Each structure stands twice: as C-alpha cells, then as structure tokens.
Amino acid sequence: MRRFFGILVIVISLFFSQKISAQTFVKINLAGLPIGMINAGAEAKIAKHFTLQPEFFISPWESFFGNKLQIYNFNLEGRYYFKKSFEHFYVGTNLGIAFFDLQKWNYLNTNSYQRGYSILMGVTFGYQYQLKERLNLDLYIGGANSQGFYHGYNMVNGERYEEKSPWNRSGEMIPYKIGVMLSYKLK
C-alpha cells in the first residue's frame, strides 16, 4: 500500500511540476453536483492522441436516503483519442484508490456498514465535444475491478459485527464512472 501511494505521489508531482503541454483542461462533472457529489480533474495532452487525467470524486454523505455513502476517490487515467486529443471518441484506462464509509448493496437499509479502502483498475469509454473555443463537454461511462479491504460495523453501537479479523476482502466488477464533465481550456 505504501508503495502504491509513493508511485501515485511521484506521478502527480511530475504531472503538475512539468509543462506537459500547452493544452490542459480543468473539468467538473455536472451529473453529481445537484446531489452534492463532487468529481473534478484536469486533463493534459501528452501526445497527438494521448492525454493524462488525474481526478477526484467526493461523496460526503454520512446519510443518503438513510444509508451511509461517504466515498473519497482519486484516480489517474490515460486516454487514447481515435481522432486527436480532446476530440470525439476515446478509450481510457485508470488506476485509483478509494476510502469509504458506506453500506454495500446487500446491506442497504440495515444497521450494518463497511469502512475501508479499495484499489480500482478500470476502463472508460467516452466522447468529447467542443462547445466553444475553450469549452468542451466530456460524456463518459466506465467500470473497474475493485479490490476492497474493510471492517464491518454496527451503526447503533459502533462495534464491529464480524470477528476481529484483520480485514474483510471483496473483489467485484463495478460501474464506477459516469459523467457529463464541463471542461475549460486553460491555454
């Protein structure tokens, strides 16, 4: 885990310390804003068909329709555009980490929740459309293999509901990225 964070810090530092390209877009996902979920990032051109995008997602909800849904996710995505960077169809691969305090689908509307972290590796399919000279709309959907490590807790008394084992583990394929990002070109 420490190694993963070290690599992530190095990649992000290089991303922001180097002048990668004159083309960089900052973006925010319009889909989650009405319900208080924040997803934002920056996408920079690194070659004619390739871009790199660090992004974060925050769902701050301690209670969302009576269920826990706190998620703090960071991922780094490389994208390949079939025409050229920031234009039309693309496919991306990403690696991320999420920290959560939530109720998995099979625990919804119960007094049990899970707290832990996940490592995510996934793919994204999308389309980017130019609205104006410096304004794009990025439509995408993606899924990932999620490897989760967590403890289960009871909401009433705060105690763990399973034996005091080191970590519960689960692995599943999940849809975890969907969006309509409004992108603004910096240069």
Side-chain angles (χ1 to χ4, degrees):
M1 181 54 97
R2 204 177 289 177
R3 180 183 225 164
F4 175 81
F5 278 119
I7 292 169
L8 200 57
V9 167
I10 289 169
V11 169
I12 293 167
S13 298
L14 287 172
F15 183 83
F16 287 109
S17 68
Q18 301 295 320
K19 184 175 180 181
I20 291 177
S21 167
Q23 282 191 300
T24 301
F25 283 82
V26 291
K27 38 185 39 183
I28 189 149
N29 191 344
L30 302 176
L33 284 178
I35 55 174
M37 294 180 180
I38 302 165
N39 179 208
E43 183 177 6
K45 179 179 177 179
I46 57 175
K48 180 179 178 180
H49 294 277
F50 293 95
T51 63
L52 190 61
Q53 174 174 299
E55 70 179 274
F56 67 90
F57 170 80
I58 298 172
S59 172
W61 296 100
E62 287 188 34
S63 178
F64 190 78
F65 294 107
N67 297 292
K68 284 189 172 280
L69 189 63
Q70 279 188 311
I71 303 168
Y72 302 92
N73 172 269
F74 175 82
N75 72 58
L76 185 62
E77 180 166 271
R79 291 179 170 181
Y80 175 79
Y81 284 83
F82 295 100
K83 188 171 181 181
K84 70 178 187 175
S85 294
F86 309 110
E87 287 190 20
H88 306 299
F89 289 103
Y90 65 85
V91 62
T93 60
N94 55 70
L95 178 64
I97 188 160
F99 298 93
F100 58 83
D101 223 8
L102 58 76
Q103 288 174 280
K104 293 175 70 174
W105 68 270
N106 52 336
Y107 288 91
L108 292 176
N109 301 313
T110 70
N111 285 329
S112 299
Y113 70 98
Q114 294 72 41
R115 175 181 291 155
Y117 66 96
S118 288
I119 297 172
L120 304 135
M121 292 183 357
V123 295
T124 304
F125 300 97
Y127 185 86
Q128 200 156 152
Y129 176 76
Q130 186 175 12
L131 297 171
K132 294 192 176 213
E133 183 183 342
R134 299 180 86 175
L135 205 59
N136 281 7
L137 199 59
D138 183 2
L139 310 166
Y140 62 90
I141 188 165
N145 176 290
S146 171
Q147 297 298 314
F149 303 86
Y150 61 91
H151 298 298
Y153 292 92
N154 181 297
M155 279 195 261
V156 176
N157 60 21
E159 294 180 11
R160 287 180 58 185
Y161 62 73
E162 82 279 298
E163 293 181 28
K164 304 270 190 251
S165 61
W167 290 99
N168 289 320
R169 294 182 61 174
S170 69
E172 50 260 328
M173 297 297 288
I174 58 170
Y176 89 113
K177 290 183 71 162
I178 187 165
V180 178
M181 280 206 170
L182 187 61
S183 305
Y184 178 76
K185 185 177 178 181
L186 294 178
K187 291 185 178 185

